[in-house]
Amino acid sequence: MSCTGSDYVNVVPRESVAMAAIDFESLGVQDLERILLVGTDSPTSSGVDMSSKMYAFETPDGTLGMVAKVDDGDAVTDMFVKLAGEGKCSKPEERRGARFVMIKDSWLAGYTDDAMVVIGPVSLMERTATEQKMLKMFAQDENHGAKNSRLFQTLDTLDAPISLVAQASALPEQAVLPFTIGAPKEADASQIVLAAKISKEDETMTIRGRTFSYNEGIDKKLKENDKVFRPVTDDMLGRLSPRSMGFLFMNVNGEDFLKVLQQNRGFQALLAGANMAIDMDNILRSVDGNIVFSLSNMNGDFDLMARLAKRDFLKDVGYWKTSCPAGSSISDAGKDAYLYKSGDMRCSFGVTADNLFFSSLRHGEVKAEVDAALNLPNDIASRIKGSRLAMLVDIDKIDNKTVAEIIKPLLGGTNKILYIKE
């Protein structure tokens, strides 16, 4: 069984909710073994055409996979036989014209003389069903593959070392909110699409992207809501914590920004929770300038800084103290500074003399530590300044090492990802 017309792109599932096209040649990556996470000391002939794009995909059931063009099936077999001898994968086994290999007991690779598919994570119990799925993928023609899907057609218009098109519903839950800030209330995550071009700029993997919708009504409202974002300035860029794993930068008028957030289902839930203890809506209305959101870890701990136009909400803190939900409290923590406690959660907030609102949320008892401010490299700071929305992620600080293992080979070893909203 081989893919129809030897067009390996037909193997990509049409129903995919996320697709990426990766040009490893332009990234300077020639070693398939590193991409397969098995490691090698020197590039070897893999039988895979590294000059052709590879396509990564995610299907609605959460299956993650990659499709590559094969130019020599026997060379692919030789590569896997060598790796099997090193204990890094199983020996190739043939099924109905295709060959299959388990890599590190978690990824299943299947290949013909035309295409290779890698899917995972796959348990040993799921192997047979996944092999059947791959055999059907190899048999797809142009009418059943990804080429006729709207996501692929959008992907095909993007020219970059790595191009990505994904429904917001396919993005990790912890990462989706920044991409859906401007989503109207009638839109669900499957109707919001991220299109992004990814390249390495000055040792930083830079993503330049936009969100849109194939639904004309939703797309129109997205464009209207995007007008709330103003160019980010360098205010607060020198106050970042070096312990944070990621930052989100914006510049907004709070009144307008709150109206946009109130349309967003995810932010509505967050605001509802915050408003049970303090009047977060009123705080946001007081903002006029930069907002910097810093994520401390994958447990939901974060810091928030925002430039205020006014600080009238401070006169309401006395009322907040008396109206706290049962089991929680607000106490003084200094001049115009307060601490909210609820169970094992601690949230400090306040206003500095120069009208900077600050807040830190932590789960569990956390030792107070004073850090020197993080000095962003000039090239990164210059891209953030002037953008309408930016995110910076430090991969080395992500506490999920599997994520870092997968991402770093694609990034050519760099540890920083910068997203710029276009």
XYZ file of all heavy atoms in Angstrom, residues 249-314:
516
model
N 2.473 40.791 26.994
C 2.564 42.245 26.980
C 1.438 42.854 26.149
O 1.189 42.408 25.022
C 3.899 42.702 26.376
C 5.119 42.095 27.020
C 5.624 40.883 26.579
C 5.775 42.738 28.056
C 6.755 40.310 27.149
C 6.912 42.184 28.644
C 7.398 40.967 28.190
N 0.782 43.873 26.700
C -0.269 44.603 25.982
C -0.226 46.066 26.391
O 0.369 46.423 27.409
C -1.654 44.035 26.318
C -1.905 42.626 25.859
S -3.522 42.008 26.452
C -3.151 41.744 28.193
N -0.890 46.920 25.592
C -1.087 48.328 25.947
C -2.519 48.669 25.576
O -2.893 48.612 24.397
C -0.099 49.213 25.186
C -0.208 50.677 25.581
O -1.152 51.087 26.261
N 0.745 51.478 25.146
N -3.338 49.031 26.581
C -4.768 49.212 26.330
C -5.331 50.352 27.163
O -4.741 50.781 28.154
C -5.563 47.924 26.681
C -5.136 46.764 25.810
C -5.405 47.573 28.167
N -6.490 50.838 26.725
C -7.345 51.664 27.569
C -8.283 50.708 28.298
O -8.985 49.917 27.674
C -8.145 52.651 26.723
C -9.188 53.399 27.535
O -10.291 52.900 27.731
N -8.831 54.581 28.016
N -8.283 50.772 29.628
C -8.997 49.785 30.417
C -10.478 49.693 30.143
O -11.054 48.599 30.121
N -11.138 50.845 29.942
C -12.583 50.836 29.668
C -12.887 50.014 28.425
O -13.793 49.177 28.416
C -13.085 52.275 29.498
C -13.093 53.114 30.771
C -14.350 52.885 31.590
O -15.174 52.047 31.202
O -14.486 53.558 32.631
N -12.123 50.265 27.353
C -12.348 49.536 26.097
C -11.952 48.074 26.230
O -12.619 47.180 25.695
C -11.556 50.196 24.965
C -11.982 51.630 24.709
O -13.160 51.949 24.964
O -11.145 52.425 24.251
N -10.854 47.830 26.930
C -10.346 46.468 27.084
C -11.332 45.598 27.858
O -11.568 44.436 27.503
C -8.997 46.516 27.796
C -8.266 45.207 27.844
C -8.055 44.450 26.700
C -7.763 44.720 29.050
C -7.364 43.246 26.740
C -7.075 43.519 29.101
C -6.877 42.785 27.948
N -11.927 46.144 28.908
C -12.878 45.376 29.709
C -14.079 44.958 28.872
O -14.587 43.838 29.001
C -13.330 46.189 30.922
C -14.316 45.489 31.862
C -13.708 44.213 32.434
C -14.743 46.423 32.985
N -14.541 45.838 27.995
C -15.681 45.492 27.129
C -15.346 44.296 26.236
O -16.204 43.439 25.988
C -16.062 46.699 26.275
C -16.637 47.867 27.060
C -16.880 49.064 26.154
C -17.356 50.277 26.958
N -17.508 51.487 26.098
N -14.091 44.239 25.770
C -13.672 43.104 24.946
C -13.580 41.833 25.784
O -14.051 40.767 25.380
C -12.316 43.409 24.266
C -11.749 42.154 23.600
C -12.468 44.523 23.240
N -12.983 41.937 26.981
C -12.843 40.764 27.843
C -14.195 40.196 28.251
O -14.355 38.982 28.389
C -12.045 41.122 29.095
C -10.570 41.470 28.917
C -9.915 41.663 30.278
C -9.834 40.398 28.129
N -15.179 41.069 28.442
C -16.501 40.612 28.877
C -17.236 39.831 27.786
O -18.233 39.184 28.059
C -17.331 41.798 29.354
C -16.853 42.354 30.696
C -17.549 43.638 31.090
O -18.059 44.388 30.244
N -17.583 43.920 32.393
N -16.741 39.893 26.556
C -17.313 39.093 25.473
C -16.700 37.691 25.427
O -17.228 36.800 24.764
C -17.060 39.764 24.120
C -17.698 41.133 23.946
C -17.335 41.736 22.599
O -17.359 41.054 21.581
N -16.993 43.001 22.594
N -15.568 37.514 26.093
C -14.794 36.288 25.983
C -15.178 35.312 27.092
O -15.108 35.645 28.271
C -13.298 36.639 26.063
C -12.401 35.440 25.864
O -12.340 34.559 26.712
N -11.693 35.411 24.752
N -15.584 34.099 26.709
C -16.062 33.121 27.686
C -15.000 32.768 28.727
O -15.281 32.697 29.927
C -16.497 31.847 26.968
C -17.689 32.037 26.030
C -18.021 30.743 25.326
N -19.111 30.894 24.368
C -19.581 29.912 23.614
N -19.049 28.705 23.717
N -20.556 30.127 22.757
N -13.766 32.541 28.283
C -12.711 32.174 29.203
C -12.403 33.268 30.203
O -12.267 33.026 31.410
N -12.298 34.501 29.713
C -12.001 35.611 30.603
C -13.198 35.940 31.494
O -13.030 36.423 32.616
C -11.572 36.840 29.812
C -10.126 36.813 29.406
C -9.757 36.424 28.133
C -9.134 37.142 30.313
C -8.421 36.379 27.764
C -7.800 37.111 29.955
C -7.442 36.721 28.677
N -14.410 35.707 31.014
C -15.589 35.910 31.856
C -15.498 35.056 33.113
O -15.794 35.515 34.220
C -16.864 35.563 31.073
C -17.387 36.698 30.214
C -18.699 36.318 29.538
O -18.930 35.169 29.179
N -19.569 37.295 29.359
N -15.074 33.801 32.949
C -14.946 32.898 34.093
C -13.866 33.390 35.053
O -14.039 33.371 36.277
C -14.622 31.483 33.606
N -12.734 33.851 34.495
C -11.658 34.365 35.339
C -12.092 35.613 36.096
O -11.836 35.762 37.296
C -10.425 34.681 34.486
C -9.629 33.496 33.947
C -8.483 33.993 33.076
C -9.078 32.650 35.085
N -12.756 36.516 35.386
C -13.193 37.755 36.019
C -14.244 37.482 37.094
O -14.263 38.132 38.143
C -13.751 38.720 34.971
C -12.718 39.326 34.008
C -13.409 40.131 32.922
C -11.724 40.205 34.755
N -15.128 36.521 36.828
C -16.160 36.184 37.815
C -15.530 35.690 39.110
O -15.944 36.060 40.209
C -17.110 35.134 37.251
N -14.481 34.860 38.991
C -13.801 34.372 40.182
C -13.105 35.481 40.936
O -13.189 35.574 42.171
N -12.414 36.371 40.212
C -11.696 37.475 40.859
C -12.656 38.454 41.513
O -12.394 38.967 42.608
C -10.826 38.196 39.830
N -13.785 38.700 40.873
C -14.731 39.694 41.378
C -15.463 39.236 42.639
O -16.146 40.039 43.281
C -15.755 40.051 40.297
C -15.177 40.989 39.247
O -14.338 41.828 39.568
N -15.621 40.854 38.011
N -15.324 37.959 43.000
C -15.928 37.497 44.252
C -15.230 38.119 45.462
O -15.821 38.261 46.523
C -15.845 35.966 44.348
C -16.747 35.223 43.374
S -16.597 33.441 43.535
C -17.212 33.204 45.201
N -13.939 38.481 45.293
C -13.178 39.014 46.426
C -12.860 40.494 46.262
O -12.986 41.272 47.209
C -11.880 38.220 46.591
N -12.445 40.892 45.052
C -12.117 42.291 44.794
C -12.815 42.707 43.504
O -13.187 41.864 42.689
C -10.592 42.501 44.681
C -10.020 41.700 43.498
C -9.890 42.106 45.982
C -8.538 41.918 43.285
N -12.962 43.999 43.327
C -13.649 44.502 42.137
C -12.646 44.624 40.993
O -12.152 45.703 40.678
C -14.303 45.853 42.448
C -15.240 46.307 41.336
O -15.219 45.689 40.257
O -15.978 47.289 41.543
N -12.350 43.470 40.363
C -11.362 43.461 39.290
C -11.831 44.269 38.090
O -11.028 44.878 37.383
C -11.065 42.013 38.868
C -9.770 41.863 38.086
S -8.344 42.283 39.101
C -7.114 42.592 37.820
N -13.134 44.291 37.852
C -13.653 45.105 36.748
C -13.265 46.570 36.930
O -12.828 47.231 35.981
C -15.181 44.982 36.675
C -15.643 43.654 36.116
O -14.761 42.835 35.754
O -16.852 43.422 36.041
N -13.425 47.085 38.153
C -13.120 48.485 38.424
C -11.621 48.757 38.308
O -11.198 49.826 37.842
C -13.613 48.884 39.814
C -13.809 50.380 39.946
O -13.887 51.096 38.943
N -13.869 50.871 41.171
N -10.812 47.774 38.717
C -9.361 47.919 38.570
C -8.994 48.006 37.096
O -8.201 48.863 36.685
C -8.637 46.740 39.253
C -8.852 46.803 40.773
C -7.144 46.768 38.934
C -8.308 45.603 41.518
N -9.573 47.137 36.278
C -9.273 47.158 34.841
C -9.732 48.460 34.196
O -9.060 48.978 33.292
C -9.929 45.961 34.147
C -9.270 44.599 34.402
C -10.111 43.470 33.810
C -7.864 44.565 33.805
N -10.853 48.999 34.643
C -11.321 50.279 34.093
C -10.340 51.411 34.385
O -10.322 52.417 33.675
C -12.687 50.639 34.679
C -13.846 49.789 34.193
C -15.181 50.370 34.634
N -16.274 49.458 34.334
C -16.803 48.602 35.206
N -16.333 48.560 36.458
N -17.791 47.805 34.851
N -9.516 51.232 35.413
C -8.568 52.271 35.821
C -7.263 52.213 35.030
O -6.422 53.108 35.161
C -8.259 52.132 37.314
O -9.438 52.187 38.095
N -7.086 51.190 34.210
C -5.835 51.008 33.465
C -5.803 51.915 32.237
O -6.804 52.093 31.540
C -5.678 49.531 33.030
C -4.483 49.365 32.094
C -5.538 48.629 34.245
N -4.657 52.477 31.972
C -4.422 53.206 30.720
C -2.939 53.140 30.415
O -2.155 53.990 30.820
C -4.880 54.664 30.826
C -4.903 55.349 29.459
O -4.734 54.649 28.444
O -5.075 56.579 29.409
N -2.529 52.089 29.730
C -1.113 51.888 29.437
C -0.788 50.416 29.342
O -1.648 49.578 29.076
N 0.452 50.097 29.609
C 0.914 48.712 29.478
C 0.337 47.799 30.552
O 0.137 48.212 31.695
C 2.435 48.657 29.567
C 3.114 49.050 28.265
O 2.473 49.536 27.347
N 4.412 48.849 28.198
N 0.081 46.551 30.155
C -0.222 45.456 31.072
C 0.801 44.358 30.806
O 1.048 43.999 29.653
C -1.639 44.894 30.855
C -2.705 45.950 31.166
C -1.865 43.649 31.694
C -4.127 45.466 30.917
N 1.411 43.833 31.873
C 2.348 42.716 31.741
C 1.868 41.597 32.659
O 1.754 41.772 33.873
C 3.790 43.106 32.108
C 4.703 41.890 31.975
C 4.288 44.231 31.222
N 1.575 40.452 32.055
C 1.146 39.257 32.782
C 2.305 38.281 32.749
O 2.825 37.955 31.671
C -0.086 38.666 32.098
C -0.614 37.415 32.732
C -1.588 37.475 33.723
C -0.150 36.167 32.346
C -2.081 36.318 34.304
C -0.641 35.004 32.915
C -1.609 35.085 33.905
N 2.743 37.803 33.917
C 3.882 36.890 34.005
C 3.425 35.561 34.589
O 2.822 35.538 35.665
C 4.984 37.473 34.901
O 5.342 38.778 34.484
N 3.726 34.471 33.904
C 3.370 33.131 34.378
C 4.567 32.532 35.089
O 5.657 32.406 34.518
C 2.955 32.241 33.207
C 2.387 30.865 33.553
C 1.098 30.995 34.347
C 2.152 30.065 32.275
N 4.380 32.170 36.356
C 5.493 31.666 37.161
C 5.744 30.178 36.956
O 6.884 29.719 36.994
C 5.231 31.935 38.648
O 5.096 33.318 38.884
N 4.673 29.413 36.755
C 4.811 27.963 36.606
C 3.542 27.410 35.979
O 2.611 28.151 35.667
C 5.084 27.297 37.962
C 4.070 27.728 39.024
O 2.858 27.731 38.791
N 4.557 28.115 40.189
N 3.504 26.080 35.797
C 2.352 25.436 35.179
C 1.228 25.190 36.183
O 0.204 24.619 35.836
C 2.774 24.103 34.543
C 3.831 24.228 33.465
S 3.283 25.152 32.014
C 2.289 23.923 31.196
N 1.412 25.625 37.436
C 0.389 25.436 38.468
C -0.590 26.592 38.552
O -1.501 26.582 39.378
C 1.055 25.249 39.839
C 1.940 24.028 39.891
O 1.625 22.998 39.294
N 3.065 24.133 40.585
N -0.401 27.627 37.723
C -1.319 28.753 37.721
C -0.858 29.939 38.538
O -1.596 30.922 38.679
N 0.356 29.899 39.087
C 0.881 31.061 39.808
C 1.278 32.132 38.797
O 1.898 31.828 37.769
C 2.106 30.672 40.640
C 1.762 29.725 41.783
O 0.559 29.576 42.075
O 2.685 29.146 42.366
N 0.939 33.389 39.086
C 1.254 34.448 38.131
C 1.450 35.783 38.831
O 1.083 35.979 39.989
C 0.154 34.574 37.075
C -1.173 35.074 37.609
C -1.416 36.438 37.757
C -2.174 34.186 37.961
C -2.627 36.905 38.252
C -3.385 34.643 38.459
C -3.612 36.005 38.608
N 2.034 36.727 38.094
C 2.183 38.123 38.513
C 1.519 38.997 37.467
O 1.478 38.648 36.279
C 3.654 38.513 38.652
C 4.390 37.694 39.694
O 3.769 37.390 40.724
O 5.569 37.363 39.462
N 1.028 40.146 37.906
C 0.373 41.087 37.001
C 0.818 42.501 37.347
O 0.841 42.889 38.512
C -1.151 40.981 37.122
C -1.984 41.984 36.312
C -1.830 41.711 34.815
C -3.454 41.907 36.714
N 1.196 43.263 36.320
C 1.494 44.681 36.479
C 0.689 45.462 35.446
O 0.534 45.000 34.308
C 2.980 44.961 36.279
C 3.900 44.337 37.300
S 5.648 44.848 37.084
C 6.050 44.055 35.520
N 0.177 46.610 35.823
C -0.610 47.421 34.895
C -0.450 48.899 35.245
O -0.507 49.269 36.424
C -2.083 47.024 34.935
N -0.264 49.732 34.236
C -0.142 51.169 34.447
C -1.530 51.776 34.586
O -2.401 51.550 33.740
C 0.596 51.803 33.270
C 0.831 53.301 33.404
C 1.691 53.625 34.609
N 3.036 53.061 34.498
C 3.906 53.042 35.497
N 3.551 53.508 36.700
N 5.099 52.521 35.328
N -1.749 52.513 35.654
C -3.063 53.071 35.967
C -3.169 54.539 35.558
O -2.192 55.298 35.622
C -3.340 52.965 37.472
C -3.330 51.562 38.082
C -3.513 51.665 39.590
C -4.407 50.685 37.465
N -4.387 54.928 35.175
C -4.699 56.335 34.956
C -5.277 56.939 36.226
O -5.210 58.151 36.449
C -5.685 56.481 33.801
N -5.858 56.087 37.063
C -6.462 56.542 38.322
C -6.413 55.404 39.326
O -6.244 54.236 38.964
C -7.901 56.994 38.101
C -8.779 55.961 37.398
C -10.134 56.525 37.044
C -10.979 55.485 36.296
N -12.313 56.017 35.934
N -6.573 55.744 40.609
C -6.485 54.743 41.669
C -7.669 54.844 42.623
O -7.579 54.456 43.788
C -5.165 54.921 42.419
C -4.912 56.344 42.858
C -3.443 56.608 43.165
N -2.999 55.930 44.357
C -1.739 55.554 44.584
N -0.806 55.786 43.657
N -1.391 54.967 45.697
N -8.806 55.307 42.125
C -9.990 55.514 42.965
C -10.484 54.229 43.623
O -11.113 54.276 44.685
C -11.138 56.112 42.132
C -10.776 57.472 41.537
O -9.707 58.000 41.908
O -11.554 57.972 40.705
N -10.218 53.080 43.004
C -10.738 51.827 43.546
C -10.167 51.508 44.929
O -10.740 50.710 45.670
C -10.452 50.659 42.589
C -8.994 50.408 42.339
C -8.242 49.625 43.207
C -8.352 50.942 41.232
C -6.898 49.381 42.980
C -7.014 50.717 40.998
C -6.280 49.934 41.872
N -9.049 52.151 45.304
C -8.459 51.874 46.611
C -9.399 52.231 47.761
O -9.334 51.619 48.831
C -7.131 52.624 46.767
C -5.945 52.088 45.949
C -4.739 53.008 46.110
C -5.586 50.661 46.360
